[in-house]
Structure formats: C-alpha cells, structure tokens
Amino acid sequence: MGIENIAAFVITAFIFIITPGIDTAFVLNKTISQGKKSGVYATMGINSGVLVHTFCAALGLSLLIARSVYVFQCIKYAGATYLLFQGIRLLFNKKSLGDRTVYQDEQSTKNDFWSGLLTNTLNPKVALFFLSFFPQFINPQELNNPLPFLILGITYAFIGMIWYLTLTLFASVFAEKIIPNPKAGIWLNQLSGVAFLLMGLKILWSND
C-alpha cells in the first residue's frame, strides 16, 4: 500500500482532530442549538469535506492549488467570507433552545450537511495540512501513487466521524440540561458567532 507507521498516523491524526477548531465549534453549535440530528448531519458534512481534500491530494489538485497564488487566494477569501457570514448570522440569531425541536422536522438538518461540507472544503489550511502531513506516512517511492493518500484520508475521516459523533452525543446531553434557561441559546449563538468571526478573520489576515 505504500503506507508507513499507520499506528503513528492514527494517533497523530486523532490528536489533530480533537484539537478544538472550526469543525469542533460548528458541530457543537449545531448539536446544542438545533439538536442531535443536526449535529450528525454537520459531522457527515465536515468529514465529507475531508474526503474532498483527500481526493484533491490524491489527484495532485491540492499541490496545484498550493502553487497557484491566485487559486489559493480565491479559496482563502471564499472560506473566510463564508465563516464571517456564519458568524454574523449566529450573532443575530435570537432563537432560544426551546425552538430546537423545530429543526428536527425541517429541511435545515440537510442544510447542516452542506454547511459542514463548505466549512471544511473552503478552508485552504486543510489542503495544506494534508499535503504536509500525509507524505510523512507514505513511502517516498509511492508519493505519486494516489492509493496511499486515499487510504490515509479515509482513515482520517473515519476517526473524525467517531470523534464528532461522540462529541455530538455528549453535547446533546448537555443541551438537555440547559434548555430550561431561555437565554442559553442566545448566549451559545453569540459565543459561536464570535468564534466563527475570529476564525474567519484569522484566515483572512494570514500571510499564506
């Protein structure tokens, strides 16, 4: 297969995945504010984004993006704009957690999948991370072979699915305890909104 030190890859990937970031904030917000089903859809969307980056890396598209300043900047600004939009939307969302059951029966749960997909796919840092991280566990003679990239990417996504589904489960339990507080949902949205705004600005102002 051309893969080396798969055990080290799994451990390192798990550490990267559990480190709080955009994806963690997104899943937590969706789960607590809209329910467990939304968290599951968000999880699937995020890890589908991981698979998109995996296929791009396997086909060499990520390398082309990294080398093309114009394409990289376009993706960078698109990703930053999307995060800023999400942040502003959350800041002005005044719905309480008592309204979260409405989301379970609406099309918005499927929209959470696409939001998760875009949140991950439009982050150029993920593409650069895969380009620098995956080759460390691939035999140098197999770097032009897409199969090792695909195997590592699918493994990464599988670990991500397990972690974020676990996070969704615990977050949904936590949400049930704070539902009686009518202001909890507003506080959550404002906190998440600020987090998304800061992450969007960080991408926007990065020198990469």
Side-chain angles (χ1 to χ4, degrees), residues 2 6 8 23 39 46 48 52-53 63 69 137 139 160 183 203:
I6 186 64
D23 296 340
I46 286 170
S48 295
V52 170
H53 284 290
L63 185 60
V69 176
F137 302 93
N139 187 308
K183 293 184 179 180
I203 292 177

Side-chain angles (χ1 to χ4, degrees), residues 6-206:
I6 186 64
F9 172 81
V10 171
I11 294 173
T12 308
F14 179 70
I15 293 174
F16 280 124
I17 289 170
I18 67 175
T19 302
I22 296 174
D23 296 340
T24 301
F26 184 79
V27 171
L28 287 176
N29 176 266
K30 291 297 181 181
T31 303
I32 298 175
S33 64
Q34 299 181 19
K36 182 163 56 177
K37 187 175 180 180
S38 290
V40 172
Y41 272 84
T43 293
M44 292 190 296
I46 286 170
N47 287 284
S48 295
V50 170
L51 295 179
V52 170
H53 284 290
T54 296
F55 283 112
C56 287
L59 298 175
L61 296 179
S62 294
L63 185 60
L64 292 177
I65 292 173
R67 290 180 174 176
S68 174
V69 176
Y70 177 76
V71 175
F72 181 83
Q73 292 295 324
C74 285
I75 296 176
K76 170 184 172 180
Y77 287 120
T81 301
Y82 183 73
L83 289 176
L84 293 174
F85 166 76
Q86 289 288 346
I88 294 173
R89 185 180 63 83
L90 288 169
L91 282 177
F92 288 95
N93 187 348
K94 302 301 182 182
K95 290 185 178 180
S96 66
L97 292 180
D99 300 326
R100 69 202 294 264
T101 54
V102 176
Y103 290 101
Q104 302 292 332
D105 301 322
E106 294 182 353
Q107 184 69 21
S108 59
T109 50
K110 293 184 179 180
N111 292 339
D112 293 331
F113 170 85
W114 295 109
S115 295
L117 178 66
L118 288 174
T119 298
N120 189 278
T121 304
L122 292 179
N123 187 352
K125 299 287 186 179
V126 179
L128 294 180
F129 169 73
F130 279 14
L131 283 177
S132 61
F133 181 55
F134 283 12
Q136 298 180 48
F137 302 93
I138 299 176
N139 187 308
Q141 297 179 349
E142 298 291 335
L143 288 177
N144 292 325
N145 183 357
L147 184 59
F149 284 94
L150 292 175
I151 294 175
L152 293 178
I154 292 173
T155 302
Y156 193 97
F158 178 74
I159 297 171
M161 281 290 295
I162 294 176
W163 169 249
Y164 289 118
L165 287 176
T166 302
L167 202 63
T168 297
L169 178 62
F170 282 101
S172 63
V173 174
F174 171 76
E176 294 296 332
K177 297 182 181 298
I178 64 174
I179 280 180
N181 187 340
K183 293 184 179 180
I186 298 175
W187 292 340
L188 172 68
N189 286 327
Q190 289 180 342
L191 182 62
S192 300
V194 171
F196 272 83
L197 287 174
L198 291 176
M199 292 173 186
L201 292 173
K202 181 179 178 181
I203 292 177
L204 196 62
W205 289 336
S206 65

